[in-house]
Amino acid sequence: CSRQFWFAPPEFRCCPFRCAPTDSGAMPRVKAYELRSKTSKELLKELDEQKAELATLRVAKVSGGAASKLAKIKIVRKAIARILTVYNQKNKAEARKQCKGKKYVPLDLRPKKTRAIRRALKVEQKFM
């Protein structure tokens, strides 16, 4: 962050209210747009790494680890959630591509809308 406040302690990047403390061993935050460029295998590999990291952090928490490790748990959990979100979006997009143009589409790929709208007559059926 480019903002520097005179009252900010040195361990904070720009302001003591919104920024996380800087840590020399801090993991860079996982960005969703970077994950979208990866393949499914790479995403699963990254997911395994993050889960292993989370397991070690939880062990450190039980054994009375440093505060920086405790704060890192939240970051790793959010990273796992991002990876799973991107992975599931990719799988769903691939499934949509395979079902495109077919007569029947799986229920989870159909538009949700409301139950009443789904039950209503289609336009071509109304004017028969």
Side-chain angles (χ1 to χ4, degrees):
C1 189
S2 60
R3 298 180 312 232
Q4 292 295 322
F5 290 91
W6 60 272
F7 56 84
E11 66 266 10
F12 288 95
R13 273 180 282 183
C14 63
C15 62
F17 308 111
R18 285 186 286 211
C19 295
T22 55
D23 186 9
S24 58
M27 299 172 56
R29 196 168 144 215
V30 179
K31 307 280 186 190
Y33 71 89
E34 293 170 355
L35 292 172
R36 286 194 179 93
S37 63
K38 294 185 178 185
T39 64
S40 293
K41 286 184 180 178
E42 289 173 337
L43 286 174
L44 290 175
K45 184 179 172 218
E46 178 97 13
L47 182 65
D48 288 339
E49 290 171 5
Q50 293 287 347
K51 284 188 175 183
E53 174 77 16
L54 183 62
T56 58
L57 289 172
R58 285 187 171 150
V59 168
K61 178 183 176 184
V62 170
S63 62
S68 62
K69 287 198 173 187
L70 297 179
K72 212 175 189 185
I73 290 176
K74 180 179 176 184
I75 296 168
V76 174
R77 284 180 58 231
K78 301 289 182 186
I80 290 172
R82 279 191 194 93
I83 293 167
L84 283 172
T85 300
V86 171
Y87 180 74
N88 290 330
Q89 285 174 345
K90 277 182 175 266
N91 283 348
K92 204 158 199 176
E94 194 176 309
R96 281 187 203 280
K97 206 180 289 183
Q98 289 176 348
C99 292
K100 190 165 181 124
K102 295 193 176 172
K103 185 173 181 181
Y104 298 110
V105 179
L107 292 175
D108 60 332
L109 298 180
R110 294 179 192 172
K112 176 77 171 151
K113 299 189 178 177
T114 64
R115 186 174 178 179
I117 292 173
R118 292 194 307 265
R119 300 291 181 276
L121 290 173
K122 306 294 179 253
V123 176
E124 59 272 6
Q125 293 171 331
K126 284 182 183 175
F127 299 106
M128 288 182 97

